[in-house]
Amino acid sequence: MPGVETETLSFDAGGAPFSDRYGDVYASRDGALGQARHVFLAGNDLPQRWGGRDQFVIVETGFGLGTNFLATWQAWRQDPDRPRRLHFVSVERHPLAAADLARWAPPPLAELAGELARSWPLAVSGLHRLPFEHGGVTLTLGFGDARTLIPDLTLGADAFYLDGFAPDRNPELWEAPLLKVVGRLARPGATLASWTAARTVRDALTASGFEVALRPGFGAKRDMVVARYAPRFRTRRHDPPPPYQGAREAIVVGAGLAGCSGALALARRGWQVTVLDQGRHAACGASALPSGLLHPTLAADDSHAARLSRAGFLFGRRQLDAMRACEPLIAATGVLQLADDELDEARWPGLLERQGWPAGFVRLCSARQAREQVGVAPRRGGLWFAAGAVVSAAAWCRAMLASETMIRLLTDSRAVRITRESASWLIEDQHGQRRRAPVVLVACAMDAPRLLESDLTPVRPIRGRISQLTAGQLTSLRAGIAGQGYLVPGLDGRVAIGATYEPIDQEPGISEDSAHQSNLERLAQLLEHAAPARIDGSFDAIRCVATDRTPLAGAVGDERAAFSAGLHLQGAHLADLPRRAGLYCSFALGSRGLVLAPLMGELVACLIEGEPAPVERALAAMVDPARFLLRRMRRVPFL
């Protein structure tokens, strides 16, 4: 289920934090911090093993009270030879409340626990990315069943904390199939530690490629397990991603939402990033949108598209909050999603009850309640996203570029061609200026297929026009309204209604007056009583939309190499396809740029660096730019 059932903390007779659900304590009665240091840190030979590394990745199978993470974070802080970036990935099926994490943390960890509690995400299934220490420590929390989440992770792990309630209380977390997946995520030489010494667990780890040994346990426990990944023969088709090795220099083509998001994600990792754009400033195209909606979509089957939208919304909202000091970005907080009709509205209560969303994420509003939230009378009730926002896309782009000194923007620079020379990419602009970098991110919307010289990136231009209105009787509008179109207040005091959806390849096009009339009809569909409105301007832009209406973000496929391989790639999976080393893309975000661009930028940066991906494997595959190549490979006969 999309919503996650939270846990109410109890205590046993001795005062130790206890789970009534599993009938077990959260940590050793001899001390949670002592157990974390003895079993998990020392059991993985930390901090010695991470010394001097650029990146270190730890995977934990049960977050619980968070003591293991906090102790590891503290050890990272205190170690002068710490890795530049520490990733801690943990899953939790029944998360505790933020207040419990802060209240019951061991005193030496209280400061860090307070910081964690302030960043604690809503109880919503999926992966949540929480950066600390200016990105030096990143916690990726997976809320949901470990048996589903861990196989869907994309990462290479250097150490494992095998934790959770006892095998006889929570057997699903210790099953052999799950421990086999742990082996698939292990980088060469990865270590593992657990407080349990159960024979079934040791046997399953051995079968998964680990060399297993016993060490003295903590407190009353006689033994604990330690292990090292050292399979005697190859047990997996593909190795997990290794850390990036090379110069951290990149060129990003395109200074819209997609390009700026990618540039920011790389710059935060210490990359020197040059952004090229053919316009006179950042966000000259569709990303010049003065005000648009940031909110997720829901689906009865919680489809991949809905999950991607949710992940993008949560990630983007966190990033947006961290940037609001740069300049005004948000025109209003809160988004009301109207039902399309009475039948649709009648289905929503059942949907919310089945999916179990927390009220802080979404709740149902009657028409009267909705009017109190948005300030005007909507046509009907709907879904209220309290954390939704009306955002200036153009201002967000400027803020992203300005927030990192490692980013340099070059305007009036249209990339004409990209060529591979030795281990670098060479980009030539319309002035004949040539620039070189080992990594290139192409994020220039409709121009991307030409620049990538790809026949398998099917996109089409869709014109969108927004009508800007004098506020008039809509002055009281204080939130965004979405439905058959959308109505939003702007930073400039005007309101905007839109947007048209005009395929450019269809003739004849509609006139400007017809576009405004179409938008005014949308206004009538959104409000109970549409007041007379005066047109006071417009926004006109071209969206780039893929044929399957899903972004293209990730490593670019090598079409020539794939077709040369022919029969060898029939029946292939995405992981089998050859890629063009150092070449990535992020484009075709359509009308969901505000929701998806920051997440796609983070995904691409993680793929480049070999870091844990911010979304599940299935969602990364959904946006993989090589998906069209894979479909062609499966259709073309090679006999």
Side-chain angles (χ1 to χ4, degrees), residues 254-377:
L257 279 168
C260 292
S261 296
L264 175 65
L266 287 171
R268 285 181 168 173
R269 288 162 168 81
W271 286 65
Q272 186 69 51
V273 184
T274 300
V275 180
L276 307 180
D277 196 271
Q278 62 183 348
R280 292 177 295 174
H281 53 77
C284 281
S287 295
L289 182 69
S291 51
L293 290 177
L294 177 68
H295 72 101
T297 57
L298 302 186
D301 60 351
D302 198 37
S303 63
H304 281 18
R307 289 169 56 195
L308 186 69
S309 166
R310 181 166 70 246
F313 165 70
L314 294 172
F315 183 88
R317 195 64 175 85
R318 189 177 292 272
Q319 184 191 102
L320 192 64
D321 286 341
M323 288 191 154
R324 291 176 68 174
C326 298
E327 66 172 292
L329 304 177
I330 298 178
T333 299
V335 173
L336 177 69
Q337 173 74 56
L338 295 184
D340 290 339
D341 50 40
E342 287 79 4
L343 179 60
D344 199 25
E345 186 177 7
R347 291 178 178 142
W348 277 354
L351 172 66
L352 296 191
E353 182 178 0
R354 288 192 306 274
Q355 295 189 341
W357 299 111
F361 178 68
V362 61
R363 64 182 178 85
L364 196 65
C365 280
S366 66
R368 180 185 60 79
Q369 293 169 328
R371 177 173 185 169
E372 293 173 357
Q373 296 289 356
V374 303
V376 297

Side-chain angles (χ1 to χ4, degrees), residues 582-608:
L583 187 60
Y584 298 82
C585 68
S586 179
F587 67 104
L589 274 63
S591 57
R592 302 295 286 170
L594 283 169
V595 175
L596 296 179
L599 181 65
M600 295 300 98
E602 180 75 2
L603 173 61
V604 170
C606 290
L607 293 175
I608 293 170

Side-chain angles (χ1 to χ4, degrees), residues 55-80:
Q55 173 202 123
F56 198 85
V57 178
I58 298 172
V59 174
E60 181 186 50
T61 55
F63 192 78
L65 284 167
T67 308
N68 296 337
F69 166 66
L70 296 171
T72 305
W73 182 3
Q74 184 187 64
W76 180 90
R77 264 191 171 186
Q78 295 172 348
D79 184 9

Side-chain angles (χ1 to χ4, degrees), residues 236-247:
R236 53 197 184 189
R237 187 170 183 177
H238 299 286
D239 290 327
Y244 176 80
Q245 300 291 329

Side-chain angles (χ1 to χ4, degrees), residues 24 164-175 194-201 221:
D24 199 4
F165 297 113
D168 61 339
R169 305 299 176 92
N170 185 22
E172 295 88 352
L173 202 58
W174 307 91
E175 291 175 344
S194 179
W195 55 266
T196 186
R199 184 57 188 246
T200 55
V201 174
K221 290 287 292 182

Side-chain angles (χ1 to χ4, degrees), residues 434-516:
R434 307 173 85 192
R435 298 175 180 86
R436 186 186 304 272
V439 170
V440 168
L441 170 60
V442 175
C444 50
M446 288 303 303
D447 203 29
R450 177 198 64 81
L451 204 56
L452 296 172
E453 297 181 336
S454 172
D455 296 323
L456 297 173
T457 50
V459 295
R460 63 188 303 208
I462 302 292
R463 188 179 188 182
R465 287 187 267 190
I466 295 169
S467 301
Q468 293 172 308
L469 315 173
T470 54
Q473 297 184 34
L474 295 174
T475 303
S476 59
L477 180 68
R478 57 175 176 267
I481 303 176
Q484 297 296 319
Y486 62 87
L487 175 67
V488 293
L491 290 169
D492 61 0
R494 294 182 292 180
V495 299
I497 181 72
T500 64
Y501 194 88
E502 309 169 42
I504 288 184
D505 51 4
Q506 292 182 8
E507 294 293 342
I510 65 173
S511 67
E512 182 178 2
D513 288 342
S514 297
H516 285 313

